[in-house]
Structure formats: structure tokens, C-alpha cells
Amino acid sequence: MTAKTYELRTFGCQMNVHDSERMAGLLEDAGYVRAPKDADTADVVVFNTCAVRENADNRLYGNLGQLAPKKAARPGMQIAVGGCLAQKDRDTIVKKAPWVDVVFGTHNVGKLPVLLERARVQEEAQVEIAESLEAFPSTLPTRRESAYAAWVSVSVGCNNTCTFCIVPQLRGKEKDRRPGDILAEVEALVAEGVSEITLLGQNVNAYGSDIGDREAFSKLLRACGGIEGLERVRFTSPHPRDFTDDVIAAMAETPNVMPQLHMPLQSGSSRVLKAMRRSYRQERFLGIIEKVRAAMPEAALSTDIIVGFPGETEEDFQETLHVVREARFAQAFTFQYSKRPGTPAAEMDGQISKEVVQERYERLVALQEEISWEENKKQVGRTLELMVAEGEGRKDDATRRLSGRAPDNRLVHFTRPEETVRPGDMVTVEITYAAPHHLLAEGPVSAVRRTPAGDAWERRTAAPEEAPNGQGVMLGLPSVGAPPAPPVAQSGCEVC
């Protein structure tokens, strides 16, 4: 009997990507296999949705509409919708798209295979939205996309009340994992060949608030430093309110914690930050940056910025430009404010015209582009050890190059060495050229270090059919493959 195929379409933040790997693991554990990339339609198509953008629902229904005739022509095909929009809209999805078979929320991902089977047997749509987390997602099987790098969730949910963000309503209050469970997962991943992990949370450095230890996150970073074989540790995304000196010390003093920090700014204006309910002000943010640079002069900093928040004046915007000049971010992910349905900001007075927002956005992007290039030029002449990456250089084949990530997460394209190197292996190169968004190492590779992570990648690619059900690396633990870098908060609000 031919196994049923599935396709996952993921929208939004790293947490959604993380959840999608759990969904893939659950489906493969239930006997499904991933549909080939060139397949027209899978037997099961799952949408993992995002609710934080103004037109998120239009995008979903447009995609569902395109699938309707294909489903009608293929008896037995099923469509499932999960994620934040499913948590938010619930029964609305089935009313607008009655050909959808399953709707499930952010708190009951583990029910996906059961709901699909129930919908098939009962021949009617199954809508199940849990109001609170049924079980920490780490207990679910996971299909990791990468053999050498993985996300590790330290918490779910968020206790903040930012006026532009709907995530706490959809993901719930913060719930922390026990430190021992996190470290056990990291050790299991390293045993499988993973050499880089990224600790993940909606507000990652608030970790410990749920278990009564304000220094829990710095302790966790230091504990990761003692795990043999773990080469690189990163985390995303912290909140300036909770970023403490003990975390800076742990970063600086733990060799495998990388000199990279993604710290969402959102606005440089203290007045706008207050309206956003961000609980820190410009001085506090710049003070953190100063301390980080004092402890780790080589650290690369990135951020998120929202342009055109309701009530933002030209003077407020100039304050944002001031912080960008002072902080000198290696990279900034900039967003034009758009109304998020269900958020307080959507009802605020002072909504700014699209034309004004666009003009400010272009000025901000131009300034950050200039700073990114200047900061990258400082890397020229440095000798760096890179972790070889997979799929990060779109022109690698044409240019006879490979790509990798520096310790500070900068993307480096380097000359392909004579010796075979694999994703997860380490190479030493000298930087010869800088562009705003990448670096080049045009000379010969001076050293190659083969790693267990490279071995794991080789096993994965050499015999993909040897795993049960054609699956990838499977653990009953969450992880998400090669983390995108720097971490991007797609909504302009930390991880989500």
C-alpha cells in the first residue's frame, strides 16, 4: 500500500517553523511521507498560519481557494489549518472555506493526525482549539530539516502586553521548561550530530519567571557551555526589559555562546515606546548595547524596528534614526506598521498615512544599509572559522563557492576548497571583501575541520530512504534545522 503524502506550508515566525517540524514529525510517525517538492498536490496539505499581519487571513483564504478545485478532483485529499490564525478565527475558517477538513490551534498541535483520521472517518470537518497548552511540545516527535543545527525551545507563550502584538492572546502566558529537560534535549541533539543550537522563546531571556529564578537563563547558557561537542550556542529573541548583566557575563565568559545578539528595538522614541507598552526607554536600550560592546567588542547586533506606529511624529522618527546611528546594528529588520486586528494599536488615534510611512521607511533602510556596509568592511582582513551552511548561497554553484556562518552569524561566501567539505564542517578563511549583507573570502581555505555534524549531514544525504517512512532525523524533541540568521522576527515583535 502506498503511503499517503503530506505538504506543510508555513507562514510567520521561527516559532511557527518550529511547530511545523513537530507537525511533520507527527505525520511521519503516523505513516505519512513528505510529498516531493515538484509534486502538484499532496494527499494532505497543512497550513501553519500567522495572525499578526493585517492581510494574513486574505493570504490564507487565497491559498485555500486555489486548492479547492484540486481537492474536488481528488477524492480523499485533506486540508488542515493550524497555527495562530486558526487559534484566532476558529469556526470562521470552515465557514469561509467549507472544504477544509481540520482546524487546530497553537495549543493542540499533537492532535493533528487524530483529527485528520477523525475527519476522514466521520466525513465532516473537525475543529478543535485548545484554550491552554495540553502538553509541552517537546514531547512530540519532530522531523528536523538540518542534521547539524537545531532550535531548542526553552519556553512558550509571552507575558508582555505590547499594543501592536496579538501573540500573547494566541500563544498564552509564558510557560517555562525545566532546565534539566532543556539540557537533556541539547545533549540528545549533540549525540545525533547537531553542533549548533539556538535557544528559542517568545521572550527568551524572561526564562525563569515561571520557575522563580531570575538568573535561570544565564545559568542555562553557562550549562550549555559544558556540553562536549556543542560548538555554537545562540538565542532569540530577548526583550530589553529582561536583559540583565548576568546574561551579558554568561555570553562573554562561555566560549561556545556566540558573540551575536538580536535585540528588538521597535522604536527609538521613548514616547512611542510607552505607547507601544514596551516597558523600556531609549536610554535603557542604548545602555544595554554599551555594556554588550564593552564585554564583547566583536559582537554583531541586529534588531527589529517598526516605522509609522500610530502617533509617531517626525521628531519621534528622528529618535529612531539616532538610536540606529548609536547602536550601529550589523543588520536591522524593518517593518512598516500595519494594523493587527485585535490589538490596541489598531484602534489608536493618529494612524499615519501610507505615503508618510513609506518615506520614513526608505530613509531608515538607506541609513541601515550604509551602517551595515561600514560594519561589514571592518571584517576585511580578519581570519574567521566558519560553519559550512547548506542552501545559503544562491549563486554558489555558478561562482564555485560555498557559504558558511561566522561566529557572529555573518554570512560568508568562500572559495570552494579542493578537499570535500560538508554542511556542519568548519573551515578557516580570511575575509577579503565586504558587501552590505554578506562577506567574501576569495583566497584559499587555510584549514578544514571535519566534524560529527558533517558526518551527520553525510549520513542524512547518503541514505535518505533508510530512515523509517523516508523521514529525516527524528527525535521526540523539538528542533528546527538550520536556524535562519540573523533571527528574523517576522511580525516585528520578538519571535512572533
Side-chain angles (χ1 to χ4, degrees):
M1 180 177 177
T2 304
K4 291 185 178 181
T5 59
Y6 75 91
E7 177 188 354
L8 264 164
R9 302 185 187 182
T10 307
F11 304 92
C13 66
Q14 294 99 323
M15 194 67 76
N16 271 19
V17 175
H18 196 27
D19 286 346
S20 286
E21 288 219 341
R22 297 188 187 111
M23 295 176 198
L26 285 160
L27 290 171
E28 295 190 1
D29 214 35
Y32 295 83
V33 297
R34 176 172 291 185
K37 290 184 178 180
D38 56 354
D40 182 47
T41 305
D43 296 310
V44 173
V45 179
V46 182
F47 291 87
N48 189 6
T49 63
C50 173
V52 299
R53 292 203 179 275
E54 186 176 14
N55 296 317
D57 54 349
N58 292 337
R59 187 176 185 183
L60 171 65
Y61 295 122
N63 278 281
L64 291 175
Q66 292 175 3
L67 282 183
K70 295 180 179 180
K71 186 175 190 295
R74 291 191 59 186
M77 179 183 172
Q78 291 184 295
I79 300 173
V81 179
C84 289
L85 192 61
Q87 188 79 23
K88 173 177 170 287
D89 284 359
R90 304 171 182 245
D91 296 331
T92 305
I93 294 172
V94 173
K95 290 177 182 178
K96 289 187 174 181
W99 55 93
V100 168
D101 298 277
V102 170
V103 178
F104 62 104
T106 59
H107 299 310
N108 57 332
V109 170
K111 292 290 186 66
L112 175 58
V114 172
L115 293 172
L116 287 167
E117 181 64 13
R118 191 185 302 165
R120 185 186 65 79
V121 172
Q122 298 182 6
E123 297 183 343
E124 64 180 12
Q126 302 295 308
V127 179
E128 188 168 312
I129 307 291
E131 294 299 332
S132 59
L133 195 67
E134 295 180 342
F136 204 91
S138 313
T139 59
L140 303 178
T142 299
R143 184 195 196 280
R144 291 190 288 113
E145 294 301 320
S146 170
Y148 60 91
W151 299 103
V152 173
S153 180
V154 304
S155 62
V156 294
C158 181
N159 293 337
N160 293 318
T161 58
C162 301
T163 55
F164 55 80
C165 184
I166 199 171
V167 168
Q169 299 177 41
L170 305 178
R171 293 275 182 180
K173 293 293 185 180
E174 180 177 326
K175 184 174 179 60
D176 294 338
R177 294 176 67 189
R178 293 176 53 190
D181 293 342
I182 297 169
L183 294 171
E185 177 183 346
V186 174
E187 290 172 349
L189 289 166
V190 172
E192 291 285 335
V194 168
S195 61
E196 175 176 317
I197 62 103
T198 300
L199 302 174
L200 178 67
Q202 234 80 41
N203 178 8
V204 69
N205 61 312
Y207 176 75
S209 62
D210 185 47
I211 57 178
D213 185 354
R214 290 187 58 83
E215 294 189 353
F217 189 64
S218 62
K219 294 175 182 175
L220 185 61
L221 291 176
R222 292 183 186 277
C224 286
I227 297 177
E228 186 176 354
L230 180 58
E231 302 237 7
R232 293 183 171 186
V233 178
R234 306 185 191 277
F235 58 90
T236 193
S237 286
H239 191 296
R241 182 195 67 184
D242 301 301
F243 202 81
T244 51
D245 291 350
D246 60 296
V247 172
I248 298 174
M251 292 178 67
E253 296 166 9
T254 310
N256 65 354
V257 176
M258 294 295 98
Q260 175 231 336
L261 178 64
H262 183 74
M263 179 76 78
L265 170 64
Q266 309 303 5
S267 174
S269 164
S270 293
R271 191 187 70 82
V272 173
L273 288 170
K274 182 177 180 180
M276 289 178 167
R277 212 178 290 159
R278 288 292 287 175
S279 68
Y280 59 89
R281 301 297 177 257
Q282 180 190 113
E283 294 75 14
R284 161 75 172 155
F285 188 91
L286 289 175
I288 293 171
I289 300 301
E290 184 178 358
K291 290 179 180 179
V292 170
R293 293 208 187 281
M296 296 170 287
E298 76 283 15
L301 308 179
S302 58
T303 196
D304 301 326
I305 301 173
I306 298 173
V307 178
F309 187 80
E312 180 189 75
T313 65
E314 176 62 26
E315 289 72 23
D316 292 323
F317 179 66
Q318 288 296 329
E319 290 295 305
T320 294
L321 297 182
H322 168 70
V323 174
V324 170
R325 293 187 186 100
E326 290 293 311
R328 300 195 64 79
F329 300 112
Q331 194 168 12
F333 301 97
T334 52
F335 304 85
Q336 297 186 39
Y337 173 78
S338 61
K339 291 182 180 180
R340 274 74 165 178
T343 63
E347 306 301 323
M348 286 182 176
D349 294 332
Q351 302 288 330
I352 301 172
S353 70
K354 172 68 175 176
E355 294 75 18
V356 171
V357 175
Q358 181 68 33
E359 189 273 337
R360 289 178 185 169
Y361 176 79
E362 290 174 359
R363 277 191 281 159
L364 174 61
V365 169
L367 173 61
Q368 182 56 51
E369 191 90 350
E370 176 185 336
I371 292 173
S372 294
W373 200 357
E374 290 173 354
E375 290 302 303
N376 274 0
K377 288 176 181 176
K378 296 177 181 178
Q379 305 298 310
V380 174
R382 292 189 65 191
T383 298
L384 301 174
E385 187 173 51
L386 313 178
M387 180 177 288
V388 181
E390 182 175 28
E392 296 224 44
R394 290 175 295 175
K395 299 180 181 179
D396 281 353
D397 288 339
T399 58
R400 295 285 301 164
R401 291 178 180 137
L402 296 174
S403 298
R405 291 283 174 179
D408 64 10
N409 227 7
R410 283 182 166 93
L411 178 64
V412 182
H413 306 301
F414 61 94
T415 301
R416 191 189 302 265
E418 293 296 326
E419 180 179 349
T420 300
V421 294
R422 309 154 301 174
D425 285 339
M426 309 294 285
V427 298
T428 303
V429 301
E430 180 179 336
I431 304 303
T432 58
Y433 175 81
H437 304 294
H438 69 268
L439 303 171
L440 291 182
E442 299 164 299
V445 170
S446 59
V448 173
R449 179 160 61 88
R450 293 173 71 85
T451 66
D455 295 340
W457 179 89
E458 193 166 44
R459 289 193 300 271
R460 165 86 71 91
T461 55
E465 298 303 320
E466 291 181 7
N469 299 326
Q471 65 197 27
V473 177
M474 292 284 291
L475 290 173
L477 304 162
S479 50
V480 178
V488 181
Q490 294 288 350
S491 70
C493 179
E494 285 73 76
V495 172
C496 281

